[in-house]
Amino acid sequence: MASQVDKIESPPMVETKTARYLGSKQRSSLGDGASDPEKIAVCDRPELQRRLKSRHLQMIAIGGTLGTGLFIGSGGAIAKSGPAGALIAYIFVGTIVYSVVTSLGEMATYIPISGAFTNYAARFIDPSLGFSMGWIYWFSWAMTYALELTATGLIIQYWDSRISIGIFIGVFWIVITAINFLPVSFYGEFEFWFSSIKVLTVLGFLIFGICIDAGAGQHGYLGFHTWGNPGAFAPYLITDNDALAKFVGFWAVLVQAGFSYQGTELVGIAAGETENPRKNVPAAIKKTFYRILFFFVFTVFFIGLLIPSDNPSLLSSASDATASPFVIAAQLAGVKVLPSIINAVLLFVVLSAANSNVYSGSRILVGLADASLAPAFLKWTTKRGVPYTAVLFTAAFGLLAFLNLSTNAGKVFEWLLNITAVAGFISWASINACHIAFMRALAVRNIRRDTLPYKAMWQPYFAWYGLFFNVLIILTNGFTAFIPWNTTDFFVAYLSVIIFLVMYVCHKIVCKTRFVKAEEADIDTGCLDHDDTVWSISVPTTLWGKFWAWAC
């Protein structure tokens, strides 16, 4: 790819930039001849290809977060902490997420490689961290794929409960797996349209929320009535101390909000297959803050205005439209047609999530294999850049969804799913830690961060901020198991942490790894500094083109 010019039709004003992609043809070296591309031997690099366009990456950044956590889980957040408590929790966790994506953006723009942050952990901090974090993160995506396949059946049963979910698990497993065997541009295209549906749904709900709150529903003007009755904050678990009960509710929602935001880091995973990462990755990262504010914070805000926190439907355990706060809000307003529409949207939501599960899981495996933390066959690719062994290995775990057809086997599936509980938070904490180590490695080499393609704001303080609160949430995510003590709930909350620590310690003992010193950190392999690839960038001239460039 490094010698290929991607030609894009553009108006007379065309800006060209050079970007370095060290794929199957070349790799940087610290030894003699590193400056001569003809002398760089890189036959062991995975042959992924840069086929994701800017619009693909932008929608991957959006679609990675707009999932069932927002469309269904946000209702539970309102029930646990009240409208104000949930709103504050989502804003607070949003700042943590932004610290993560800015940290990841600075590294992924400078070193856009397959596996992204699993490789960064191994190269900047400790190979054992890269191993343990990478594998538990991969497992979370693989198991979530099985969960999403199960959800497709449950959603379709909303229309006809007589149909077995096993049929849809099988059908959608074939469809999603087949999509991921196509070149990455096809994944980007599918995700683009799936995400567009989700974005339009959220925008539609926000407009709906404004209208209903202003008086268009059957109850007339609502305003902030739910903040007064039953109240802006809701007590949770504690019965003898109202202030403490409201704080407990707020803290419980932090974990739930974190689950809703997980997937934002897909930008870093996709950076290794994105055209012109110097331009497109920073553009996706910079707009993340506004997307978090607009899609998550505003949605939670309007849900809190339209639905009282004591509405029993908010705590429904269903996976279809009946559990969505979007539908509950419409029912309270007297709108009858919305449930089936939302259920159809939820089907697209879980299919989009399943598509992302296989993609991200397979690319994490490629990164692990590239760092010698997984078998080498997992980085085998087709001529069109598809890591087919990693895709098949990840997709195979989706078949575990069939365990849900049996009650006893379903219990096994639940415990396997528990392993993924805080895998996202572990990854986020690792990303912040990697960025701190990355900045130290730059300082040792006297490389000013001002010279980087993308410079993250408020560093290193913002990275430390994210690291501290991610670790704090990991350690306290199972606090409800102590109120009162429940052994099962304790292991459900901390099983993933225990397995992560066991994997880390075992790898360190067996492989005798050591922490990476700042001066030894490899910030050269895969770096963008000396590539001769030329990317043609069209500058939009029409009003619609300029709007699309701004929005995406």
Side-chain angles (χ1 to χ4, degrees):
M1 277 300 283
S3 61
Q4 180 180 353
V5 177
D6 181 25
K7 296 183 180 180
I8 303 175
E9 296 209 8
S10 55
M13 264 184 89
V14 176
E15 176 189 3
T16 59
K17 293 186 179 181
T18 58
R20 185 180 190 187
Y21 173 45
L22 297 179
S24 60
K25 304 296 183 185
Q26 61 178 19
R27 186 180 190 176
S28 66
S29 171
L30 294 178
D32 295 336
S35 60
D36 186 357
E38 299 298 325
K39 297 181 182 180
I40 300 176
V42 291
C43 58
D44 60 332
R45 294 289 289 175
E47 299 180 3
L48 300 179
Q49 299 177 10
R50 294 196 181 277
R51 293 175 177 265
L52 290 176
K53 300 184 181 296
S54 175
R55 65 186 180 91
H56 295 150
L57 189 65
Q58 301 293 346
M59 280 302 185
I60 288 171
I62 299 174
T65 54
L66 296 182
T68 52
L70 178 65
F71 285 92
I72 294 179
S74 54
I78 300 292
K80 290 178 182 177
S81 64
L87 182 64
I88 296 170
Y90 270 82
I91 292 173
F92 175 58
V93 177
T95 64
I96 298 174
V97 172
Y98 194 55
S99 79
V100 172
V101 295
T102 54
S103 289
L104 180 59
E106 183 166 298
M107 296 183 291
T109 307
Y110 189 71
I111 312 174
I113 56 175
S114 60
F117 43 87
T118 57
N119 255 307
Y120 301 151
R123 287 162 55 169
F124 304 159
I125 300 177
D126 184 359
S128 295
L129 176 62
F131 172 82
S132 54
M133 184 267 287
W135 274 106
I136 199 166
Y137 184 72
W138 166 82
F139 188 75
S140 73
W141 283 117
M143 285 305 303
T144 304
Y145 180 41
L147 179 65
E148 301 293 358
L149 290 174
T150 303
T152 61
L154 295 173
I155 288 171
I156 292 174
Q157 279 188 335
Y158 173 82
W159 290 298
D160 191 343
S161 59
R162 297 169 298 176
I163 303 175
S164 171
I165 65 172
I167 297 173
F168 300 102
I169 290 174
V171 169
F172 288 121
W173 184 89
I174 293 173
V175 171
I176 297 298
T177 303
I179 290 173
N180 279 272
F181 273 108
L182 298 174
V184 71
S185 56
F186 284 86
Y187 161 76
E189 204 63 39
F190 275 98
E191 194 59 29
F192 176 83
W193 292 109
F194 279 150
S195 297
S196 298
I197 293 172
K198 292 189 283 187
V199 168
L200 290 175
T201 302
V202 173
L203 290 176
F205 176 76
L206 294 179
I207 295 172
F208 170 82
I210 293 172
C211 295
I212 297 300
D213 194 64
Q218 63 182 0
H219 298 295
Y221 175 73
L222 300 178
F224 283 80
H225 79 290
T226 57
W227 289 49
N229 181 27
F233 295 89
Y236 185 60
L237 294 179
I238 306 294
T239 57
D240 57 350
N241 187 325
D242 190 58
L244 179 60
K246 290 178 179 178
F247 176 78
V248 168
F250 165 76
W251 198 259
V253 171
L254 290 184
V255 178
Q256 188 167 338
F259 292 149
S260 298
Y261 282 120
Q262 285 175 19
T264 316
E265 69 279 0
L266 287 180
V267 176
I269 296 175
E273 296 175 273
T274 301
E275 292 179 352
N276 195 4
R278 272 189 190 273
K279 174 181 179 293
N280 293 331
V281 175
I285 295 296
K286 289 175 182 177
K287 294 171 183 175
T288 299
F289 175 78
Y290 304 104
R291 291 176 183 132
I292 289 172
L293 176 67
F294 192 79
F295 290 113
F296 279 89
V297 176
F298 282 179
T299 298
V300 172
F301 173 70
F302 279 108
I303 291 173
L305 291 182
L306 302 180
I307 309 173
S309 60
D310 57 359
N311 188 305
S313 299
L314 291 175
L315 293 176
S316 171
S317 59
S319 299
D320 57 22
T322 59
S324 174
F326 291 25
V327 171
I328 298 170
Q331 291 173 337
L332 292 176
V335 180
K336 305 297 184 183
V337 71
L338 203 57
S340 288
I341 297 175
I342 292 298
N343 202 60
V345 170
L346 285 176
L347 183 59
F348 283 107
V349 167
V350 298
L351 289 176
S352 171
N355 197 31
S356 297
N357 295 155
V358 180
Y359 171 78
S360 54
S362 63
R363 270 50 179 189
I364 288 295
L365 285 182
V366 171
L368 287 169
D370 189 44
S372 300
L373 300 174
F377 72 85
L378 290 173
K379 60 180 177 178
W380 293 351
T381 60
T382 66
K383 292 181 179 179
R384 304 187 73 178
V386 179
Y388 60 95
T389 53
V391 169
L392 184 60
F393 189 73
T394 301
F397 277 72
L399 297 175
L400 290 173
F402 284 107
L403 290 173
N404 288 303
L405 299 181
S406 167
T407 303
N408 293 332
K411 293 294 183 182
V412 175
F413 180 81
E414 288 180 11
W415 276 100
L416 289 173
L417 198 62
N418 290 336
I419 298 175
T420 71
V422 291
F425 287 103
I426 292 173
S427 301
W428 289 354
S430 298
I431 290 170
N432 286 130
C434 287
H435 189 215
I436 294 168
F438 173 71
M439 289 185 285
R440 289 174 177 170
L442 291 176
V444 167
R445 290 165 174 74
N446 294 318
I447 299 175
R448 296 173 58 248
R449 291 180 57 244
D450 291 331
T451 64
L452 301 182
Y454 169 69
K455 179 183 177 182
M457 64 172 64
W458 306 329
Q459 300 298 342
Y461 312 106
F462 207 24
W464 279 109
Y465 168 83
L467 177 61
F468 174 79
F469 281 108
N470 276 315
V471 171
L472 183 62
I473 292 173
I474 290 170
L475 295 177
T476 61
N477 88 93
F479 75 93
T480 54
F482 299 88
I483 314 173
W485 171 256
N486 186 303
T487 304
T488 300
D489 289 348
F490 174 83
F491 279 102
V492 166
Y494 293 106
L495 184 60
S496 55
V497 180
I498 294 170
I499 292 177
F500 168 77
L501 293 175
V502 169
M503 292 174 65
Y504 177 83
V505 172
C506 289
H507 185 271
K508 182 163 280 294
I509 292 174
V510 172
C511 298
K512 298 180 172 60
T513 62
R514 60 185 180 84
F515 290 103
V516 179
K517 297 179 181 178
E519 59 271 18
E520 297 174 352
D522 179 10
I523 62 172
D524 299 286
T525 304
C527 177
L528 280 176
D529 277 350
H530 307 295
D531 187 28
D532 58 356
T533 303
V534 178
W535 304 97
S536 296
I537 306 171
S538 60
V539 179
T541 56
T542 65
L543 184 62
W544 171 251
K546 291 178 180 179
F547 170 78
W548 186 256
W550 170 80
C552 292

